[in-house]
Each structure stands twice: as structure tokens, then as C-alpha cells.
Amino acid sequence: MIAEQTTTGLLDVELIRKQFPILHQHVNGNPLIYLDNAATSQKPLAVIDAIDDYYERYNSNIHRGAHHLAQLATEAYENARKTVAQHINAEEREINFVRGTTEAVNLVASSYGRKFVGAGDEIIISGLEHHSNIVPWQMLCEEKGAVLKVIPVNEAGEIIFESYLKLLSPKTKIVSIAYISNALGTINPAKEVIAEAHKVGAVVFIDGAQALPHKKVDVKELDCDFLGFSGHKVFASTGIGILYGKAALLEQMPPYMGGGEMIKTVTFEKTTYNELPYKFEAGTPNIEGGIALGAAINFISEIGLHKIEQYEHQLLKYGTEKLLEIEELKIVGTSANKSSVLSFLVKDIHPYDLGVLLNEQGIAIRTGHHCCQPLMDRFGIEGTCRASLAFYNTHHEIDSLAKAIKKAVTILK
Amino acid sequence: MTKPISETEDEIVEEFGLFDDQMDKYEYIIDLGKKLNPLDARYMTDDYLVKGCQSKVWLHAYKDGDLVFFEADSNSSITKGIIAILIRVLSGQPAKEIINNPLAFIDRINLRSHLSSQRSNGLTAMIQRIKTYAGAFTE
Ligand SMILES: Cc1ncc(COP(=O)(O)O)c(C=O)c1O
């Protein structure tokens, strides 16, 4: 592969792939090519081992027992929180463990939203959003009599910034947008969106689900008020995620769920709540998940997110060129500012058919609306085929993808 | 004389037996779809959509004498091939036969094992709709 040589020095992909046992298998008689990373990522040995180690050596409930195992577990869990905090340049008390991005959005909508949004207020989202970053706001608007405004999207799959500026007003209380679109890969100008929202006094939630696996995210540099992301998309397990919030905002917010861990004292007359971050962490958390997330972040940090970003950019460029060589193939989402997502359609071919025939050739992609029905409506389509790349994917795999699409198209046409 | 359902089933099982390669099987299914008689555009409306399929499937039935006939189309080539197989087996049969036939060939050619769970549900929905149509014609 000529293309592979241009990337040596950037990442040793073969070495990286050795860290992901799941990649080394055959599916339907072909080597597995996993290109569904935007749905969920695969797990490196560092993560798998961290989970094993937790259960084999120190499984215990945290923050409670004074015994040895409880101390080890608490320490590991809190270390993971510290790792996440450092990674995104936040304070530890600003890092709340949640189940994932969906819960992060719901937490902010329920707690911050219920307290600070009233009748006639406005919430702005964009036309690119995942259903998780639409529905909780709709629910809040319905409950409060607030209004949901949507930033329109252009043909390239980018938010139209001028339209955003026009939507902003003193009525705007919350702006919530994805840093990176899961369906198209568009990277939104998050920093500019945030700066403009702040001018009218609104707070901003950044859906970082697709950003954290691909680029360095610094909450101070962005100046976002909230950031949510999912562990399973950044090479850790399912059922764990992070809600970052500025401490000053989290302090003002009522708890989201009641229970153990989140309290200081409980009497039947009055309960006082625990301090941050425990205020939002009711009940026994996903301890192994937290530890796995810490391990995953250490893993990608050691490789280096700048290198990952550059490498994936090369892959994206190569993939775009390769796919466009295929007759009647159209890429949906053509922003110059994109992460490694190739959403595409072949004329007169149902995405699902293509997905099935790629699967027969060992290639995992996603087909459908990608939980972005309003965005699909915007393009007048029902769905796309989406190949979403991670840093363990190779140029060779892209070649195989292109070849497999061609083969499928010959059969389908 | 209408050909008995079991005879068409045997033919299909034999045809599928010719392929070892799954891709070839799909190619064959897709080709069957391509050969399906076109469905009149007036039936390609929501009223004729089979609910429960990920892709769109329009199904129309009519009665001629004692026999029930089916016509269909789909925006997915694979689905169209699958419905073409069902039509080949069931179209032109007496309503009672259609309702009571267990369609054993589906398991004999292992059709479901190659479909995703959504597609498999879609297949069930198509069969259900065919049987409902046939049922309506027995009244
Ligand atoms: C942009 C975006 N937001 C939110 C989510 C929801 O994440 P989760 O299901 O992990 O809560 C996803 C996952 O697909 C996503 O891609």
C-alpha cells in the first residue's frame, strides 16, 4: 500500500490493532472490517484488562466500606474521574459519572432546564442533532411552555451560522449542539457557537459523543457550560459516560435523582445533599465502567489525540477519494470540516441492501437514519450507508470497502 | 390445474441448493426480484404498504375465480426478491391453501438465518399480510 507508507511515523496502526482482539476474526469467511465506530467503538486490551483486574482483585462498593477492597475500588474510581478531568481540562468535582450522552442531556434538561427555563423561553438546537439531543429538550419545552428553535443545515451538512445568530435573543436560555455530527461527521464551530450564546446570556450544552474519540476536547478553551459524552464510543464500556458542568452551574442545580451516595444527611424531615460531584451520582454507580473509561482515556492519550486526528484525517481523505471513484455514489455531508465519517448513497440502491451485501463480505457499516430523522428529512432521504472510521482502521480496509461496494452494486443493479 | 405449493417449494429448495456462497444466494434472490411483474403505480400507496418492514413493501391481492393472486414491489432489491419468492409459492393458489400452508421451505433454505432480526420480522409481516388478504377472500 503506497498510502500506508505515507502514514508511518504518524501511527503504528499494526501495533495498535494488536491491542484490539476483536478485530482479528473472520465474518462470513472474510476478515472483519469494522467500520461502525460511530455506533460503538471496540475495546483495547488495556480496557478489557482493567475490567478483569477490577473483578479479579478488588471488586467492592465504593465510598462506603472502610475495608481494603473498598478503598482500592474507591481509589480506582476516583482516579478515573481525575483522568477524565485532566483530559478535558476540568476540575474533578465538575466530572459527573452518568450512563452516557443520553443521560447527560436528560440530566441537564431535567435539572438545569426545569429550574431555569420558563414559559416563552427558547432553547436552540441544530438540524444535525441525534435524537438524544432533541427529545429531552422537546420534553422540557412541552412541560414549560418553552419554544424549541432549530438551526438550519446547508447542502454540505453544516449548520448555517448566520441563521443561528438570528435565532439568538435574550429569550434563549440553552443552546445544545453536537460538536461532531454522528450521521455526517460535520465538525461544528463549537467555540463560536458558544461565544455567541454567551453574549445573550444562554448556557451551552455540547454533545461530545462523537468528538471525544477523535479529537482533543478542552472545556476551558471551548468555554462550554456542559459537555456530555459516552464511554462506549471512546473505547470503554457501555453504560458509562460523563457529564461535565461548570461547577458554578452544577452548584445551582437541584439533584436529578435521589438515593444513596448523593446525600449528606437524611432524616424524614429534611435531607441535605452531598457536594459535587456526588450530588448527581445517586446509587451504586457503574464502577467497572468508570475504571474502564479511565483506562480508555489513558490509552488514547498515550497514543496522542493529535496523531489520531491527523491519521484519521488522512483516512477520511483517502476514503472520500476511493468512494467517489464508484459510479453514481454520492457522499452525504461534504463539509471541509469533517471527522472520519463517510455517509453515502448509491443511486437507486436501498442502503439496507448495500449493508447486507457488505456484511456478507465481512464489512460492518451502519445503514438507516442514524437516530437523526430530522436531518435525513432535511436531505429528503430515508437514510444512508455510514462507514465511520477509527484510528485502528487502515487504508487497506478502505480499499476493501470500495471493492466490496462495487461488487454489491453489480449484484444490485 | 394449479401447481401444488409443495412442488414450487421443492423447486426453490433445489435452486437454493445450487449455491454454496452466500453472495450468490443473494444475487439469486435479487434476480428473482428483478423478474417480478411490475406493480401498478396505483397500488404503490400507503394503503398497500406492509407495516413492520424496514424497507417499503407494497402488496396487492386480487381474486380470479377461486384463486388468489398477489403482486408486489419494494424499494429494496433484497426485500423484493424475498417477496418474489413468496409470490412464486403462494400466488394463484386457493385462499384456504394460502392460509393453512406452513411455508416449510423458508426453514429448508435457511432464509431467516441470513436475515437480520428486523428483516426477519419484515418477512413475518409479509407472510401475515398475504394470509390476511387470503382470509379476506374466503369470507
Ligand atoms: C452525536 C450523538 N449524540 C448522542 C448519542 C447518544 O449516545 P448514547 O446512546 O451513548 O447515550 C450518540 C450515539 O449514537 C451520538 O452519536
Side-chain angles (χ1 to χ4, degrees), chain A residues 17 20 22-25 27 30-43 232-233 235 238 315 340 358-359 361-366 386-394 397-398 400-401:
Chain A
R17 289 178 68 83
F20 290 84
I22 204 171
L23 298 176
H24 307 284
Q25 62 175 300
V27 169
N30 295 288
L32 166 67
I33 297 181
Y34 186 77
L35 302 176
D36 195 17
N37 294 288
T40 201
S41 60
Q42 299 304 347
K43 320 305 169 199
H232 69 98
K233 297 193 200 266
F235 317 103
T238 50
L315 267 189
S340 51
L358 291 182
N359 179 52
Q361 301 175 74
I363 301 179
I365 61 156
R366 171 120 181 236
R386 180 188 70 186
S388 51
L389 317 172
F391 62 95
Y392 43 66
N393 290 124
T394 65
E397 288 180 317
I398 303 259
S400 302
L401 169 69

Side-chain angles (χ1 to χ4, degrees), chain A residues 91-113:
Chain A
E91 289 170 41
E92 279 165 58
R93 64 195 183 118
E94 296 174 316
I95 301 298
N96 306 277
F97 281 113
V98 291
R99 276 186 299 160
T101 312
T102 304
E103 191 176 40
V105 183
N106 277 282
L107 196 162
V108 174
S110 297
S111 170
Y112 183 91

Side-chain angles (χ1 to χ4, degrees), chain B residues 33-71:
Chain B
K34 286 178 188 164
K35 289 186 196 126
L36 194 63
N37 288 334
L39 179 68
D40 196 302
R42 80 189 128 127
Y43 300 121
M44 288 168 64
T45 64
D46 286 356
D47 289 344
Y48 294 91
L49 268 184
V50 179
K51 292 191 184 68
C53 294
Q54 198 186 14
S55 47
K56 287 194 166 133
V57 184
W58 299 272
L59 183 66
H60 169 243
Y62 61 92
K63 202 174 178 189
D64 187 359
D66 287 336
L67 307 179
V68 182
F69 292 84
F70 298 97
E71 306 170 315

Side-chain angles (χ1 to χ4, degrees), chain A residues 75-132:
Chain A
E75 211 175 280
Y77 192 70
E78 290 306 323
N79 269 338
R81 193 192 307 274
K82 193 187 281 177
T83 301
V84 174
Q86 284 169 354
H87 185 64
I88 63 170
N89 194 16
E91 289 170 41
E92 279 165 58
R93 64 195 183 118
E94 296 174 316
I95 301 298
N96 306 277
F97 281 113
V98 291
R99 276 186 299 160
T101 312
T102 304
E103 191 176 40
V105 183
N106 277 282
L107 196 162
V108 174
S110 297
S111 170
Y112 183 91
R114 283 220 183 100
K115 183 161 177 190
F116 292 105
V117 175
D121 285 342
E122 294 176 356
I123 294 170
I124 298 179
I125 59 172
S126 91
L128 284 167
E129 301 312 314
H130 187 282
H131 295 162
S132 298

